[in-house]
Amino acid sequence: MFDFIKRYALKKHLAENIVNRERQVISLREAKTIGMICEISDEDSYKANFAIFSKLQTITKVQMVGYINEQFVPFYCLEQLAADYFCQKNLNWFGKPTMVQVDDFIQTDFDILLDFTHNSLAPVQYMLHQNHSKFVVGGNVNHKEYYDLMIEGADENGKKLLENIYVYTQKLIGE
């Protein structure tokens, strides 16, 4: 019952706070700034997401926010200048992130926002709904209503999704 109330409150908050953003199709090669949202479930998922983050940093400026669906951020999640992590204790009662770093991430006008999550997560839904990015891409069927481009067939470590994002964004802009 309480989960139903929390989901209802989040939906109501999102419906009342619609963000109008300038949508534009941009390829990974053209992007000057990329935002990356990921879900950290264990040390292996941290390593896989950090590998993708590092690979994207060789292309352009990248900022990452990782959500840990537990009470505390694990010791292996090392915060950096462009990588922040948050957990359940950083959420309000209906799932809205309360960290300043997450608010800054949401307000940033990224060329591309990439969602590498696999589960339906209220904080990630909030971030996807409230973002100001030009082009939102992901492979999570639970979040498809927030995407400008949905790519199915994503794998657990995200490498196949990244490859598909590269291929399909190139095709969309006619390169």
Side-chain angles (χ1 to χ4, degrees):
M1 177 69 170
F2 190 64
D3 285 339
F4 173 77
I5 294 169
K6 288 167 64 171
R7 282 193 304 273
Y8 176 78
L10 178 64
K11 279 188 177 186
K12 184 173 169 51
H13 177 77
L14 293 178
E16 292 171 353
N17 296 291
I18 296 173
V19 174
N20 291 322
R21 57 187 180 90
E22 177 189 328
R23 295 169 196 247
Q24 182 180 353
V25 177
I26 300 172
S27 72
L28 278 179
R29 195 179 340 176
E30 291 178 332
K32 292 179 179 50
T33 57
I34 296 176
M36 178 177 160
I37 301 173
C38 62
E39 174 186 2
I40 309 295
S41 56
D42 56 19
E43 193 166 359
D44 290 337
S45 67
Y46 167 77
K47 288 177 183 177
N49 283 301
F50 197 78
I52 293 168
F53 172 68
S54 298
K55 185 172 190 160
L56 287 171
Q57 280 185 317
T58 63
I59 299 170
T60 190
K61 182 182 173 189
V62 183
Q63 189 173 349
M64 178 175 78
V65 171
Y67 175 65
I68 297 97
N69 198 13
E70 295 182 19
Q71 280 300 100
F72 297 99
V73 175
F75 68 92
Y76 50 79
C77 292
L78 303 173
E79 291 196 23
Q80 299 180 2
L81 190 58
D84 292 301
Y85 305 94
F86 67 105
C87 59
Q88 291 174 355
K89 78 173 189 173
N90 303 116
L91 306 176
N92 71 3
W93 69 273
F94 63 83
K96 176 184 170 190
T98 57
M99 282 181 57
V100 173
Q101 294 91 332
V102 175
D103 285 338
D104 291 344
F105 182 87
I106 293 168
Q107 296 299 320
T108 304
D109 186 16
F110 294 111
D111 288 336
I112 300 177
L113 179 63
L114 304 174
D115 178 19
F116 284 97
T117 61
H118 303 288
N119 298 308
S120 178
L121 303 164
V124 175
Q125 289 174 351
Y126 176 83
M127 292 172 67
L128 290 170
H129 187 275
Q130 296 296 305
N131 83 81
H132 294 266
S133 303
K134 293 180 182 83
F135 193 48
V136 181
V137 183
N140 186 340
V141 294
N142 299 307
H143 298 159
K144 67 182 175 185
E145 66 193 79
Y146 305 110
Y147 298 153
D148 298 320
L149 177 63
M150 167 73 185
I151 298 178
E152 292 186 12
D155 55 340
E156 279 296 315
N157 64 11
K159 289 181 183 175
K160 184 165 177 65
L161 177 61
L162 184 61
E163 291 170 7
N164 287 340
I165 289 170
Y166 185 80
V167 169
Y168 289 116
T169 56
Q170 297 295 84
K171 287 181 181 181
L172 284 173
I173 62 165
E175 287 186 10

